[in-house]
Every structure is written in C-alpha cells, then in structure tokens.
Amino acid sequence: MRPTLYIGNKNYSSWSMRPWLALRWAGIDFEEITIPLGGVGYGKSRIPAVRAVSPSGRVPALRIGDTVIYDSLGIAEWVVEQAPTLYPADPLDRALCRSAVAEMHSGFAALRRDLSMNIRRRVTPRAWPWPDDVRSDIERVLEAWTHWRGRYGAAGPFLFGARTLADAFYAPVCTRFRTYGVALPPVVAAYCDTIFTDADVRAWEQGAVAEPWSIPETDALYA
Ligand SMILES: N[C@@H](CCC(=O)N[C@@H](CS)C(=O)NCC(=O)O)C(=O)O
C-alpha cells in the first residue's frame, strides 16, 4: 500500500522536511501532497485543509490505508521500522541517537521560534545580539553536534557516522544557521556541508525554491 505524506510548504515546514527525508532515505515509495500553510486558522491548528487530513490539525501526516500517523516523530519511527539502518546498530549508539532525535523533537523552543525555517532566505550576517534563550539553544546544538562528530566521525560524515534519523531531524537546523548567518566552528560547518550536498536535501530545497507561496510574518524575522 503506497503511503501518502501530507506536508506544509517546503520553504517553511521543518516538521514536514524531517519525515520526508526519512522516507526518501529509506527508499520508500510515497505520494506527497503539499498543503500551503498560512491564512485562516494558521498557528491554531485550525487550517481547514489540514484538519481534513490530520486529526491534530498539523502537518506532517502520513496516511497508510485508513490509518493516519500525525506527528513527525511517529512517522519517522514507523519509517525506521521499515528501514532499521536509519538508527545505529549498536544498542547504546541507537539509544544515544534516539536521545538526539527526541531532544530536537521536544526542545530548542527559542531557536524554533526566532530562527524559523526559511530555506530561500539569506539574512545579512552581523554581530547578532541573540536573545539569551536563542543563544543558549544555539550553543547546545553546537556542543551536541561537536560531541557526536568527535565520537562518530571515523565512521562517516554524518552526526552518528552513517546517515541516521538524527540527520533528518537536524537538517532543518543547518538551513536555519545558513539563513540567519549563525557563525559556525569548522566541524559544524563541515557537517552542514554534508547535509547541503545530500541529494534528497537538495531535492527538498529545490522544491522550496519553486514554491509560489510566502508567509510574510516569517519572512520579517530579523529583517
Ligand atoms: N509536533 C508536531 C508539530 C507539527 C507542526 O507544528 N506543524 C506545523 C507546520 S511546520 C503546522 O502544521 N502548523 C499548522 C498551524 O500552526 O496551524 C510534529 O512533530 O509533527
């Protein structure tokens, strides 16, 4: 049965990007349907077209037959059940990788609020006086990535060596750092380059560039 993934705009919807990448990396054939975000009900989980396909009123949602998996992590975990190599094989490495994914899914509220994903946009870099909570989130991401790259670097160029779900969950953070001109230490910049050269990340970005829609309030952040 061919699943259908409902996603928001590729330019803005980081939660949609994550399971989309996981599905592509797993080699699963799926149909994708984009529901442009914005307008009536946006920000309140009340966009009628989203409510029609997702019980939470949010995207992403993956429909498989008459079942709808309606959260990025729920979808991603289903994907890994089809493609177990998207988590490391060693139980402790796998647990650490799951912690990385969970930290992204449940954390970094200030970074997500102030550095909203906006793939097409480039803000002129300057000496940002980041708010304390944003700076703290950025520092934690840099610390975590540096630690994982140090621990798993010999096994490959991704966070846990080989490409895993953690990379799908943090890929949108690479695009945020690029959009808002966040200064990156070399090891982190090299990791982001790995992400930006991934064929499926590039395909998602090309989709974002081709989209006709924009969300003015997001485009105005740090203007
Ligand atoms: N916890 C959810 C969050 C999903 C989410 O917030 N999606 C946004 C788009 S990135 C959305 O659907 N927003 C619609 C709205 O705010 O009304 C997940 O991980 O899937």
Side-chain angles (χ1 to χ4, degrees):
M1 194 173 299
R2 191 173 183 233
T4 300
L5 183 69
Y6 298 96
I7 56 175
N9 314 40
K10 286 184 172 163
N11 190 53
Y12 302 107
S13 183
S14 59
W15 292 121
S16 299
M17 183 181 185
R18 295 173 171 114
W20 187 93
L21 283 177
L23 282 159
R24 294 277 288 230
W25 291 349
I28 294 172
D29 181 37
F30 65 102
E31 178 189 16
E32 70 180 66
I33 295 180
T34 302
I35 303 176
L37 301 174
V40 175
Y42 178 53
K44 302 187 179 76
S45 312
R46 288 286 180 277
I47 298 173
V50 176
R51 296 278 296 176
V53 298
S54 172
S56 66
R58 296 199 166 236
V59 281
L62 185 72
R63 181 163 52 74
I64 308 171
D66 59 5
T67 300
V68 177
I69 311 172
Y70 57 86
D71 180 274
S72 62
L73 186 53
I75 298 167
E77 287 285 340
W78 176 83
V79 172
V80 180
E81 284 171 15
Q82 321 309 309
T85 57
L86 282 178
Y87 271 141
D90 175 83
L92 285 179
D93 293 339
R94 196 159 62 241
L96 190 56
C97 188
R98 277 208 170 92
S99 299
V101 169
E103 185 175 9
M104 182 67 247
H105 188 257
S106 62
F108 303 120
L111 183 146
R112 291 196 278 115
R113 180 197 66 223
D114 276 23
L115 307 188
S116 190
M117 190 169 89
N118 198 334
I119 286 177
R120 292 188 297 253
R121 191 164 176 235
R122 298 289 181 275
V123 171
T124 308
R126 45 180 152 121
W128 292 109
W130 301 114
D132 282 351
D133 52 357
V134 176
R135 187 168 44 84
S136 166
D137 278 358
I138 292 172
E139 285 172 359
R140 170 60 195 146
V141 170
L142 300 184
E143 173 191 61
W145 289 5
T146 302
H147 174 69
W148 297 328
R149 290 296 303 132
R151 182 165 167 158
Y152 297 104
F158 294 93
L159 289 176
F160 288 77
R163 198 173 56 180
T164 67
L165 212 52
D167 302 295
F169 270 71
Y170 286 95
V173 178
C174 291
T175 80
R176 288 166 147 117
F177 286 167
R178 183 180 58 185
T179 291
Y180 298 97
V182 175
L184 302 177
V187 66
V188 171
Y191 169 64
C192 287
D193 283 346
T194 296
I195 288 297
F196 294 142
T197 51
D198 180 87
D200 293 306
V201 171
R202 289 172 79 102
W204 177 274
E205 289 190 325
Q206 283 160 10
V209 169
E211 282 175 347
W213 315 287
S214 61
I215 302 178
E217 50 273 38
T218 301
D219 290 343
L221 287 167
Y222 288 103

